[in-house]
Amino acid sequence: MSLNIPSLKDSVSPEEWQLRVDLAACYRLVAAYGWSDLVFTHVSARIPGPEHHFLINPYGLMFDEITASSLVKVDQDCNKLSDSPFPVNPAGFTIHSSVHAAREDAGCVLHTHTRSGVAVSAQKDGVLPISQQSTFVLASLAYHDYEGVAFRDEEKPRLQADLGTKNFLMLRNHGLLTVGPTIADAFLSMYIFESTCQIQIAAQSGGAALTQVHPQIVDGVAHAMKVQTGSLGGAFVWPALIRKLERLDPGYKA
């Protein structure tokens, strides 16, 4: 069944359209990698410019249905700023708006409820330094304790303080969140974060004692990450991810 959503390509600036295409691609990739939770969770992206305007998913669409034109433009309080037949979820935007408000560098905020992510978030010791992937996460990891479903504004200052300048946030008993200057950066960070959690759960399931990475190696991993991606971060892998998505379903660009 087609949703028959009119194209916005000629109705928005070229910069906003490219952001829409990239964010729709991100939603489709989240679905393709198995990180979606039906219609729940969000990926938000800030539109370039002095206004604090954002793009977010139309609430009720599966992530593999989202297109560039179906994304909804909202303000900092999640009020719709453009015509859209789709609702938005202000309660779901609480976490995202608090991060965007506190972090000028937060071009994209990506939040998931994956099985492995929630499982590790429920473990007292959180992320363990037992894999190469985990060292990248531990280099910029923060934790935020669970306060119930995140729809209360009074939680925002505590979440902002817990996140600080970190780019990986483990929401205790809840899930994972990454912050990036671009959509590509936030996606690559989530790929590493999710892989870290999957590896940890798999390693623990073996029942044997785990070998931990030496703390000095963890301390030097930020430089190693730059070398690994040629200092390009998410931009290094994003073109390959787009090619993958084009092979799977190019409909995200509509």
Side-chain angles (χ1 to χ4, degrees):
M1 176 181 173
S2 173
L3 294 172
N4 294 319
I5 300 164
S7 175
L8 295 179
K9 185 174 183 179
D10 297 326
S11 305
V12 299
S13 69
E15 293 79 13
E16 180 177 330
W17 180 251
Q18 186 58 55
L19 192 72
R20 284 176 171 272
V21 170
D22 285 339
L23 186 56
C26 185
Y27 273 103
R28 297 286 184 110
L29 287 164
V30 166
Y33 279 94
W35 306 340
S36 57
D37 183 16
L38 294 181
V39 301
F40 307 107
T41 77
H42 306 278
V43 189
S44 58
R46 182 173 176 177
I47 298 172
E51 306 93 349
H52 281 252
H53 293 169
F54 308 91
L55 296 174
I56 197 166
N57 52 312
Y59 197 44
L61 266 64
M62 301 289 279
F63 282 17
D64 60 2
E65 295 181 295
I66 291 174
T67 64
S69 297
S70 69
L71 290 163
V72 184
K73 186 190 298 188
V74 298
D75 64 14
Q76 183 68 35
D77 298 315
C78 209
N79 298 307
K80 288 201 287 187
L81 299 175
S82 57
D83 257 352
S84 172
F86 303 104
V88 292
N89 181 11
F93 193 58
T94 299
I95 291 173
H96 292 252
S97 62
S98 65
V99 175
H100 284 296
R103 294 276 297 272
E104 280 294 325
D105 64 328
C108 179
V109 178
L110 202 169
H111 172 42
T112 62
H113 295 159
T114 63
R115 302 296 186 274
S116 295
V118 176
V120 175
S121 79
Q123 295 182 359
K124 184 176 180 181
D125 292 331
V127 174
L128 302 174
I130 59 170
S131 66
Q132 178 169 272
Q133 289 83 350
S134 71
T135 64
F136 295 132
V137 173
L138 289 164
S140 188
L141 176 63
Y143 293 88
H144 176 66
D145 287 340
Y146 188 63
E147 299 186 22
V149 177
F151 60 84
R152 292 178 293 273
D153 283 343
E154 56 263 33
E155 184 177 354
K156 288 183 176 182
R158 292 185 290 276
L159 189 148
Q160 291 166 339
D162 288 338
L163 175 63
T165 61
K166 306 296 187 181
N167 294 323
F168 298 88
L169 180 64
M170 180 156 276
L171 298 158
R172 290 289 194 181
N173 311 101
H174 183 172
L176 310 179
L177 182 143
T178 58
V179 181
T182 68
I183 293 166
D185 288 317
F187 184 88
L188 177 58
S189 291
M190 185 56 75
Y191 181 85
I192 297 168
F193 208 175
E194 175 63 21
S195 297
T196 293
C197 293
Q198 289 179 359
I199 291 166
Q200 181 164 321
I201 295 299
Q204 290 170 325
S205 70
L210 302 178
T211 301
Q212 298 201 357
V213 176
H214 194 283
Q216 286 183 340
I217 295 176
V218 177
D219 291 342
V221 79
H223 174 69
M225 187 62 174
K226 289 182 179 180
V227 172
Q228 190 77 5
T229 63
S231 297
L232 294 176
F236 183 75
V237 297
W238 192 247
L241 288 165
I242 294 299
R243 292 194 299 272
K244 175 186 179 73
L245 193 55
E246 287 288 321
R247 294 190 296 271
L248 293 173
D249 181 4
Y252 69 96
K253 296 177 294 186

